[in-house]
Amino acid sequence: MAKFTFKLALIFLFVLFHAGCLLASSQSPSTPAASSQPGVTATNSSSPSSTTQSRPQTKITEYTLPPDLYRKARNRSLIRFVSTLFGFFYGLLVFWFILSRKISAKFRDWAEKVSRYRFVQALIFTPLLVITIGVLEIPLDLFDEWISKLYRISVQPWPSWFADWAKAQFLTMVIGSLLAWLLYAVIRKSPTRWWLYFWILFLPIILFIVFISPYVIEPMFNKFEPLTVKAPQLIAPLQRVTRRAGQEVAPERMFWMKASDKTISTNAYVTGLGASKRIVIWDTAIDQETPDEVVADFGHEMGHYALGHIWKGFAFLAALLFVLLYLGYRTIGWLLARSGAQWGIRGLEDWASLPALLLLLAVFSFASNAIGSTFSRFQENQADIYGLEVTHGIITDPAQACAQSFQNYGEKALVDPDPNPIQVFLFYDHPTVTSRIHLCVTYDPWSKGESPQFVK
């Protein structure tokens, strides 16, 4: 139940390609902007709740839901699958509408009337385009949030939700304006190699955004405090895990995040890069889970640290971005030759061509989504295995702690025990909860005299 920096990098790649909402997710727990997971009223997060400490533990052997929750989980899964597919085609329709109505050409004309300087034009054109896309797509965002509230998955008040939406639009305007200015500066300098040069320039920008995210972006959406302040009783067992992993993580890099004002879904994740890298545990996990379950979650996050998933994810992202930009370069000329004149676009170097390029990249990104999801599921599976290994001998029963944590998450988030395989293939960036619990209760190389994969 974690996200890591690779996912955050993909989010900002999505900012460039889709110029839409900054923060989104598929099966994995939500990013800071808006939650798609359950929510309840906040509780005291200074220590695990008494109900959590004393709840009876039933041995978990597989992921199951009672009939009423099963029906809700299946219905919600179907709704999400359909809405995701519809959202993709609706997004293409939004780009086509902006182009066919010559809205982007009008925005270009306004920007050029205000100033002859390209940077100033970018600061005018891009925010106008971003807010237009955001307003046209807000019905889908509202529908997703309404469904979450209908299933009691979100308790975020509507004013708070709209505030998060506005913050996401603002961030998209700022980052998008800088990226658009850079992109078109490169296009004007090198009409045939712009895709390669922009790719080279964009990679360090991604790293910089990921680096500053824990300091600048994430606090805009959620409250963070040191774990030493909010749950000091967890520091000692967590440090035992870090020492076992040979990846010492100072308490100063362990953070508590308030999620209970938006969700009751339990979660932990890795964020940041280098000096900003940290592990975050949601207050809902601390409140709802036993200490062993929280340690099991933490072990998973240590897997992302120890197995180098952040840098491997960045390398994968770089390769994917290289291919997508090249495909965009190979097809944008054809699209503009076919329809550019009727859209009021003068050429590729024209600001008004941005929605056309975004439309193509959105198509290619959707086609490549299955590759990215498969890669992410592979890394998450590795982290699950690592978590079981690194907590072996540290907590009483790592298998049950792992399984109980996922069972609790599945019940509260209404996770489908048997999702559509196509939906999993295309959109699940984590393994299914069913397969993760199966791994928890069956992975036992020690009793078989076998060597663990990662923690020897």
Side-chain angles (χ1 to χ4, degrees):
M1 289 177 284
K3 77 175 180 60
F4 53 102
T5 306
F6 169 63
K7 287 299 297 177
L8 188 59
L10 285 181
I11 289 166
F12 286 105
L13 177 61
F14 182 75
V15 172
L16 171 67
F17 287 173
H18 200 251
C21 180
L22 267 175
L23 303 157
S25 71
S26 51
Q27 186 210 9
S28 61
S30 67
T31 48
S35 174
S36 61
Q37 305 301 335
V40 292
T41 306
T43 58
N44 181 2
S45 57
S46 61
S47 63
S49 66
S50 58
T51 55
T52 298
Q53 294 279 28
S54 61
R55 75 169 184 234
Q57 294 293 308
T58 303
K59 186 176 179 63
I60 303 294
T61 58
E62 61 181 353
Y63 176 47
T64 59
L65 293 175
D68 58 332
L69 293 185
Y70 180 83
R71 287 192 298 270
K72 291 180 180 179
R74 293 289 288 171
N75 290 338
R76 177 174 176 259
S77 180
L78 177 61
I79 292 172
R80 292 191 70 183
F81 187 30
V82 173
S83 66
T84 301
L85 290 175
F86 178 80
F88 165 70
F89 291 106
Y90 181 81
L92 298 184
L93 180 63
V94 166
F95 285 131
W96 175 84
F97 176 79
I98 290 173
L99 290 166
S100 64
R101 304 297 294 182
K102 297 184 180 180
I103 295 175
S104 62
K106 293 176 183 177
F107 291 162
R108 172 208 60 208
D109 293 342
W110 294 349
E112 290 178 346
K113 286 180 180 179
V114 171
S115 176
R116 64 185 180 89
Y117 294 104
R118 298 284 294 180
F119 184 73
V120 176
Q121 291 174 5
L123 293 179
I124 297 172
F125 173 84
T126 310
L128 289 172
L129 180 62
V130 167
I131 196 62
T132 300
I133 295 173
V135 170
L136 290 174
E137 292 193 340
I138 198 172
L140 293 181
D141 298 331
L142 290 171
F143 174 78
D144 288 341
E145 180 65 10
W146 177 73
I147 289 295
S148 294
K149 293 184 185 306
L150 180 66
Y151 281 91
R152 299 183 180 180
I153 290 171
S154 171
V155 295
Q156 184 178 16
W158 280 111
S160 172
W161 185 90
F162 277 107
D164 281 351
W165 182 88
K167 294 173 190 176
Q169 297 304 311
F170 172 76
L171 286 173
T172 307
M173 291 178 190
V174 173
I175 299 173
S177 294
L178 295 175
L179 291 176
W181 170 75
L182 178 63
L183 173 64
Y184 280 88
V186 173
I187 288 175
R188 291 167 69 89
K189 283 287 185 180
S190 180
T192 60
R193 297 288 180 88
W194 62 265
W195 60 276
L196 176 61
Y197 298 144
F198 182 73
W199 176 76
I200 295 172
L201 294 171
F202 188 45
L203 295 183
I205 294 176
I206 293 177
L207 293 177
F208 176 72
I209 291 173
V210 172
F211 176 81
I212 67 170
S213 181
Y215 300 132
V216 179
I217 297 175
E218 294 180 30
M220 292 177 62
F221 300 95
N222 293 97
K223 179 181 178 181
F224 295 84
E225 292 191 38
L227 197 61
T228 53
V229 174
K230 303 301 291 187
Q233 75 283 355
L234 290 175
I235 298 299
L238 296 183
Q239 285 190 310
R240 290 181 63 195
V241 174
T242 64
R243 295 190 187 102
R244 173 83 179 276
Q247 297 282 329
E248 189 71 35
V249 178
E252 292 76 20
R253 292 196 179 196
M254 301 178 188
F255 284 82
W256 167 96
M257 189 192 92
K258 185 176 182 180
S260 54
D261 56 346
K262 300 176 183 180
T263 177
I264 59 169
S265 179
T266 56
N267 186 28
Y269 66 91
V270 174
T271 186
L273 189 69
S276 72
K277 187 161 56 177
R278 59 186 61 184
I279 289 177
V280 177
I281 301 177
W282 288 9
D283 65 332
T284 49
I286 297 172
D287 291 337
Q288 297 176 31
E289 296 184 343
T290 66
D292 280 0
E293 290 169 21
V294 174
V295 173
D297 294 342
F298 183 80
H300 171 98
E301 299 311 317
M302 284 306 306
H304 291 310
Y305 262 109
L307 300 178
H309 284 171
I310 292 174
W311 288 108
K312 291 176 183 177
F314 176 74
F316 179 87
L317 170 67
L320 183 62
L321 175 61
F322 181 89
V323 173
L324 293 177
L325 286 174
Y326 178 72
L327 291 175
Y329 159 72
R330 295 292 296 179
T331 54
I332 187 63
W334 163 81
L335 182 60
L336 293 183
R338 182 178 182 276
S339 304
Q342 68 187 67
W343 291 340
I345 300 174
R346 303 167 189 156
L348 178 58
E349 73 285 350
D350 183 1
W351 296 115
S353 69
L354 182 57
L357 181 59
L358 292 173
L359 187 151
L360 290 173
L361 293 176
V363 172
F364 298 136
S365 296
F366 182 84
S368 66
N369 192 67
I371 300 174
S373 296
T374 301
F375 178 79
S376 179
R377 289 196 303 272
F378 171 75
Q379 288 200 321
E380 292 296 333
N381 178 256
Q382 283 192 324
D384 284 343
I385 294 173
Y386 188 95
L388 289 167
E389 293 179 354
V390 79
T391 57
H392 180 72
I394 291 180
I395 58 180
T396 305
D397 190 344
Q400 282 301 298
C402 169
Q404 289 282 358
S405 177
F406 283 125
Q407 179 68 36
N408 179 56
Y409 165 70
E411 290 176 1
K412 294 184 180 301
L414 294 178
V415 177
D416 189 354
D418 187 26
N420 186 321
I422 297 176
Q423 183 179 6
V424 174
F425 178 69
L426 290 176
F427 304 125
Y428 272 43
D429 54 7
H430 285 58
T432 66
V433 169
T434 299
S435 65
R436 299 181 88 174
I437 289 182
H438 178 75
L439 174 68
C440 292
V441 300
T442 59
Y443 184 75
D444 187 12
W446 303 277
S447 66
K448 302 173 185 177
E450 299 173 356
S451 176
Q453 291 188 35
F454 305 116
V455 184
K456 307 301 182 181

